[in-house]
Structure formats: C-alpha cells, structure tokens
Amino acid sequence: MQSIRKQKRIAVLAHHRRENVFSGYSGIGDYHSGAYECDFVSPYTKSAGNVDADIMLVLQDWCSDEYLRQKKRADSDLVRLGHDPQLEANKNLKSLLFTHFGIGLEKTYATNLFPFIKPGTMNASVRFADLKKAAEIYTVPEIEIVAPRLVVCLGAVVYRAIRKTCGLPPAGDLDMAIKSPFCFGSGQVWAQSHPGRLGQNNRNRGGVNRVAGDWRRMAEAVAWDVSRGRPK
C-alpha cells in the first residue's frame, strides 16, 4: 500500500509537469505524437522506478529539442526504457552502480532534475534559475516521496540546485561538493561527477581514478554491502 501511495503522489507531479511547461522550453509530450510521455516526472524513471529504493539517482536533464527532432520516428529505446542504453553516460552509470553497490539500474529510483526539453543540442546548458525552480517543484518532492537512504546528484550543478533548494550555502567546486554530503530526512545527499566522458575525464585528470574512489567512499558512508546489493 505504501508503494501505491508513493506512485500516486509521483503521478500527481507528472501531471503537474505536463500542464506547466516552463517558458522557453518544450514538453516531453510535444514530440512524436506524445510517444515519450509517461506518469513520471522524467521518462528515465521507466528504467529505474523503484519507489522504495535505497538509492535515488538525479541526472540533470533528459533530452534536447535538436536530439528529438532529428529522429524521423519515435526512438524505441527512449519510448521503452526512457534512456538511450548506448549513450556512454548511461553505460558508465550502470557500471558504477554495479561495481560499488552491486545492483542494476532497475533497483534504483532515477529521475532528471529538469523535466522539460531544452532548445538546442544535448550539451546545451539550462539556466540555473530554471534548474533550481525544477528542483523545488519536482526533485525535492520526489526525494521526500521516495525517502531513499542515498541521493546521488550526477554533476555539480545538480547538487548545487538541490543543496540551494534545501536552504544550504554553496559547497564550492565539484571537488568540494563531493566532499560535502548533507543529510536529508533519514538519508544522505551526495555529489558525484557527471557519468559522461567529459565529466569522468575531468574528474580523473592526470590519470588518477578519482571517480572510483569517490563512489567507494560514498558506499562506505551509507554502510553498503556490495556483495549483497543492499545496506549492511
């Protein structure tokens, strides 16, 4: 019953997202006759919709206008999974999850901080004011609903938006953010580098595998048993 109540509350957020597209952006349902629409804040949750998950993942934004418009028909993977499994960022994220937590994406609850379609390319930026507004309306309420043991913010700007929404001062650059987790309810909120090639390479600059160390320390901080894929 608790899971059903959580799903209903998330569906309310999804309805709000459909009816209140931010100015200057497009809605998820505006492409390919609404093929990507869903009862989640982000289609990414289709692959990671465990509302009772111990781990919640927060990526920045889902897709861009150019990326979706260049497709002649709806992308079957995006419709079914809510993400592109061939994208390097998604491959890296799944690998990090399995290596350091012993679980697959389906065992988590994952979402995008910004649930609308930005103009331009996939690497186009989104105004921080809009990211923070989305965090206030959607992401922080999702965290409250799911109540995970751990929230992983993938990218410094994602962590910054959630941290500011929670009324906390900035934590500095990505290195300082990774070293500055904070408590939210009964869980912890951590920053990690973006799982894409650029984010991983920047964090591992100089040939040092900092990303692995970052994730290992995070798993240790929440007392995770990687061999069993669950908290100790």
Side-chain angles (χ1 to χ4, degrees):
M1 289 297 294
Q2 178 69 11
S3 297
I4 294 173
R5 283 195 290 269
K6 288 182 177 183
Q7 290 166 355
K8 288 181 177 179
R9 292 174 66 189
I10 289 169
V12 170
L13 291 177
H15 177 76
H16 185 280
R17 183 259 302 155
R18 286 194 293 272
E19 300 297 318
N20 297 275
V21 178
F22 286 9
S23 177
Y25 303 93
S26 300
I28 292 168
D30 293 342
Y31 300 85
H32 297 109
S33 302
Y36 306 119
E37 194 49 272
C38 61
D39 287 329
F40 303 111
V41 173
S42 167
Y44 207 106
T45 310
K46 291 179 180 180
S47 288
N50 181 4
V51 294
D52 297 316
D54 287 306
I55 298 175
M56 179 172 173
L57 307 170
V58 185
L59 298 99
Q60 181 174 307
D61 56 83
W62 185 64
C63 263
S64 74
D65 180 78
E66 182 177 300
Y67 180 84
L68 293 176
R69 288 191 185 281
Q70 70 183 0
K71 298 178 180 295
K72 294 182 179 179
R73 59 182 64 86
D75 184 299
S76 59
D77 282 335
L78 286 182
V79 172
R80 181 171 58 91
L81 302 173
H83 72 275
D84 181 352
Q86 300 306 314
L87 200 65
E88 186 169 3
N90 293 322
K91 290 181 179 180
N92 289 339
L93 178 56
K94 293 172 186 178
S95 176
L96 288 164
L97 267 177
F98 185 76
T99 299
H100 299 285
F101 290 90
I103 61 173
L105 188 62
E106 73 281 356
K107 296 290 186 179
T108 73
Y109 182 91
T111 190
N112 288 96
L113 176 75
F114 192 74
F116 305 109
I117 308 303
K118 61 188 178 184
T121 62
M122 286 289 278
N123 62 0
S125 61
V126 178
R127 287 196 320 142
F128 183 76
D130 293 329
L131 293 174
K132 182 176 179 296
K133 181 179 177 182
E136 293 171 351
I137 298 173
Y138 301 107
T139 315
V140 170
E142 282 182 280
I143 296 172
E144 293 172 339
I145 293 168
V146 177
R149 186 185 189 95
L150 171 66
V151 179
V152 186
C153 300
L154 296 158
V157 71
V158 173
Y159 179 74
R160 192 178 309 130
I162 292 178
R163 186 178 174 90
K164 189 167 185 179
T165 300
C166 292
L168 298 172
D173 61 11
L174 177 63
D175 184 64
M176 285 301 300
I178 291 172
K179 296 173 181 175
S180 307
F182 66 92
C183 294
F184 186 100
S186 59
Q188 299 179 32
V189 179
W190 281 69
Q192 293 294 347
S193 55
H194 188 280
R197 178 180 298 178
L198 181 60
Q200 301 286 284
N201 287 348
N202 283 342
R203 183 62 179 157
N204 290 334
R205 189 176 290 120
V208 180
N209 191 354
R210 296 182 185 87
V211 172
D214 296 338
W215 278 72
R216 184 178 62 254
R217 284 188 292 274
M218 181 171 67
E220 291 171 352
V222 294
W224 195 270
D225 184 344
V226 65
S227 65
R228 303 176 72 183
R230 65 186 189 187
K232 294 178 181 178

